[in-house]
Amino acid sequence: MKGTLLHYNRRLGSDRCLSLSASVSRTTARTETGAASLELRSSSLRPGGRASLSVLSKPHWGKLGRYPPWPGKIVNPPKDLKKPRGKKCFFVKFFGTEDHAWIKVEQLKPYHAHKEEMIKINKGKRFQQAVDAVEEFLRRAKGKDQTSSHSSADDKNRRNSSEERSRPVSGDEKRKLSLSEGKVKKNMGEGKKRVPSGSSERGSKSPLKRAQEQSPRKRGRPPKDEKDLSIPESSTVKGMMAGPMATFKWQPNVSEPVKDADPHFHHFLLSQTEKPAVCYQAITKKLKICEEETGSTSIQAADSTAVNGSVTPTDKKIGFLGLGLMGSGIVSNLLKMGHTVTVWNRTAEKCDLFIQEGARLGRTPAEVVSTCDITFACVSDPKAAKDLVLGPSGVLQGIRPGKCYVDMSTVDADTVTELAQVIVSRGGRFLEAPVSGNQQLSNDGMLVILAAGDRGLYEDCSSCFQAMGKTSFFLGEVGNAAKMMLIVNMVQGSFMATIAEGLTLAQVTGQSQQTLLDILNQGQLASIFLDQKCQNILQGNFKPDFYLKYIQKDLRLAIALGDAVNHPTPMAAAANEVYKRAKALDQSDNDMSAVYRAYIH
């Protein structure tokens, strides 16, 4: 796109433009011509991805990938944070959250021009809080503008006075000026004794120097206490907004409804837990590997966007097999953070979207593995995981010495151990890395990754894990991650069944289900998971975020794990029976919260 939303003309005629910007544009006009001059004046990105002063702190609507727009303001990135390669983008701080992200210029729109349109589309509680934060920011900025208007007028008067003195003077004017100067000198001589001694030095300086000394403000750079001050748009900028960008529209994904229609939908950049503001040091800080007494290792990050915004992608070629609910979000984040990715899916049409985003297409799993350095896979169950590796044109046929395979599927320990043995027997390297989360967390890059196997491969996957998750744990030998993942999902599945049981019991005893949720949200059980799943039930919205059939599969495998070590799992067994009944009611492809229907039928 040639004309972009944020490519401002630096040679603005407004008195409110900073002197540095005006000086640069005048110099450009004298020294540059043609296309080179136009390029300099229209560019608002400085070397290193830093924004010009004319765009800083202006509210805009920012859109990332397939997700709804969100209000934010353009800020300068930390000095150590590099701009993504090959993309014209800005570093945006989003209102209503302390998250930051690089947003492409074509995915930004001016706030005021599209405010009504966005409010009609988005109805979520978090979204409304973000809009309120924008309005509060604008009110504060307007107040600062009013308080600084008097000093600006004084500066203008001083500039005009200076220009008058520097203007050529005619003969008659010289004579008048000479007479008036004589009177002034006489008056100054008479009043000299009344002037304090400390003012003699000050009086010898020019008005311009005095103005510079009196004001701590440096030219071309806003003071620290005015960093959030909104800079009014000039007529030139407004003209540009009415140009090509005025007709640009975000096209929603036809195959998917707008996610923000759910009033409890959490935006793609919002942290999944309420965290304090993340400082720039946390954003630029690299992930650290910390050893625990248990022997497990955790790669941790304070904030999803803070981590993802500073990912330095590996130069290794990445392959990815399986583009389901979890895999799609993972691949999207890998591409977003600059990784080179080749994709394959059993249903080839699912690859098209990622090809458009820059991925390469692999015709078979064997081809992907043979052409990539590290290949990830995320499929539904043990049978699918084995077929992918051992089947025709499978992973094993592409394995050669040094090739790496990372299985992110949630399977049992026996299955993952078998796959590791066959991969290593061909000279390959193996890592299991199942993920804890759901579709939303996958899209947000907020998954929790549980890894085990080849420790060196785990470290080689560091940039990939940073792109797709907020935390990564290394748990030792192959099989440990599978066991831990099944235990985590066993707890989650049992909890979901208990929630459904409580809501139905409230209903049949004449209690308000909404009141029950409100009470739970004020107590120790309060969590995003609890709120989202209860809202699904209350609204009758069972669009899958985590398939019911998969949580039932995990419960079944967890029960088998307990049987293998002679450990009772009666709670999981009871929950499993409820999910089995829900599957019999054709709820397999709905969200796990549809287990509620097993209690009402």
Side-chain angles (χ1 to χ4, degrees), residues 107-395:
Q107 297 297 340
L108 287 165
K109 283 188 176 184
Y111 175 77
H112 292 290
H114 298 274
K115 176 182 173 181
E116 293 185 4
E117 171 192 349
M118 298 307 166
I119 291 177
K120 289 179 181 178
I121 295 175
N122 303 297
K123 302 294 184 182
K125 182 188 301 183
R126 285 290 187 90
F127 175 81
Q128 186 56 52
Q129 291 173 351
V131 172
D132 293 342
V134 179
E135 297 301 322
E136 178 62 25
F137 164 76
L138 292 173
R139 282 193 293 271
R140 290 200 311 267
K142 186 177 180 180
K144 290 181 180 179
D145 282 340
Q146 291 175 349
T147 56
S148 62
S149 61
H150 297 295
S151 59
S152 298
D154 291 342
D155 291 340
K156 183 177 178 181
N157 291 335
R158 282 194 293 269
R159 287 196 299 270
N160 291 340
S161 176
S162 178
E163 289 173 1
E164 283 294 325
R165 286 193 296 273
S166 62
R167 182 174 56 84
V169 184
S170 63
D172 293 337
E173 289 174 333
K174 284 182 179 179
R175 284 191 295 273
K176 292 178 181 179
L177 182 61
S178 177
L179 291 172
S180 62
E181 283 179 350
K183 294 179 180 179
V184 169
K185 287 180 180 178
K186 183 177 180 181
N187 292 336
M188 287 179 65
E190 293 174 354
K192 192 171 182 179
K193 294 181 180 178
R194 294 193 299 270
V195 178
S197 59
S199 62
S200 59
E201 181 182 350
R202 181 179 173 187
S204 64
K205 296 182 180 179
S206 69
L208 180 60
K209 286 186 178 180
R210 285 200 304 271
Q212 290 174 343
E213 288 183 0
Q214 290 168 359
S215 173
R217 181 167 181 166
K218 296 181 180 180
R219 297 178 67 187
R221 180 177 299 174
K224 292 183 178 180
D225 60 345
E226 294 184 10
K227 281 184 178 178
D228 287 344
L229 187 59
S230 160
I231 302 174
E233 291 182 354
S234 69
S235 58
T236 308
V237 175
K238 292 179 180 177
M240 293 178 68
M241 297 308 178
M245 284 303 298
T247 58
F248 176 72
K249 294 183 178 179
W250 287 317
Q251 297 294 337
N253 192 331
V254 178
S255 63
E256 297 182 11
V258 177
K259 294 178 181 289
D260 234 0
D262 182 352
H264 290 268
F265 166 71
H266 291 272
H267 192 260
F268 63 95
L269 281 176
L270 297 180
S271 300
Q272 294 304 303
T273 55
E274 298 297 333
K275 299 171 184 172
V278 179
C279 62
Y280 280 136
Q281 286 78 7
I283 295 175
T284 57
K285 183 176 64 178
K286 293 185 177 180
L287 299 180
K288 59 182 180 180
I289 300 178
C290 49
E291 296 289 346
E292 299 180 357
E293 291 181 0
T294 59
S296 66
T297 302
S298 169
I299 297 181
Q300 297 182 331
D303 180 84
S304 62
T305 312
V307 176
N308 293 345
S310 61
V311 170
T312 301
T314 179
D315 56 1
K316 297 181 184 296
K317 296 178 181 178
I318 304 300
F320 204 95
L321 312 175
L323 300 174
L325 287 182
M326 306 297 281
S328 294
I330 291 173
V331 171
S332 179
N333 281 311
L334 288 172
L335 290 170
K336 191 189 308 175
M337 298 306 155
H339 293 83
T340 301
V341 186
T342 301
V343 296
W344 174 89
N345 192 70
R346 185 174 55 183
T347 307
E349 290 77 13
K350 286 190 176 181
C351 297
D352 293 343
L353 177 63
F354 301 101
I355 301 303
Q356 294 173 11
E357 292 182 4
R360 301 171 183 176
L361 179 64
R363 292 175 295 181
T364 65
E367 180 183 290
V368 174
V369 173
S370 63
T371 58
C372 295
D373 301 305
I374 303 174
T375 300
F376 294 84
C378 188
V379 293
S380 58
D381 55 34
K383 183 180 184 303
K386 288 181 180 179
D387 290 345
L388 186 63
V389 174
L390 305 174
S393 300
V395 168

Side-chain angles (χ1 to χ4, degrees), residues 479-544:
N480 285 346
K483 295 173 184 176
M484 184 68 80
M485 189 74 259
L486 291 177
I487 295 169
V488 169
N489 283 357
M490 178 189 74
V491 172
Q492 180 173 278
S494 300
F495 183 42
M496 181 67 251
T498 302
I499 292 171
E501 192 170 291
L503 286 171
T504 52
L505 182 59
Q507 183 180 36
V508 299
T509 57
Q511 305 304 306
S512 167
Q513 293 179 322
Q514 181 62 57
T515 301
L516 172 60
L517 173 57
D518 293 340
I519 294 170
L520 292 174
N521 276 336
Q522 294 299 318
Q524 293 178 330
L525 293 178
S527 65
I528 291 175
F529 178 83
L530 172 71
D531 184 61
Q532 287 180 336
K533 297 308 179 186
C534 285
Q535 290 296 338
N536 287 350
I537 292 171
L538 295 180
Q539 297 170 14
N541 173 23
F542 299 109
K543 179 185 174 183

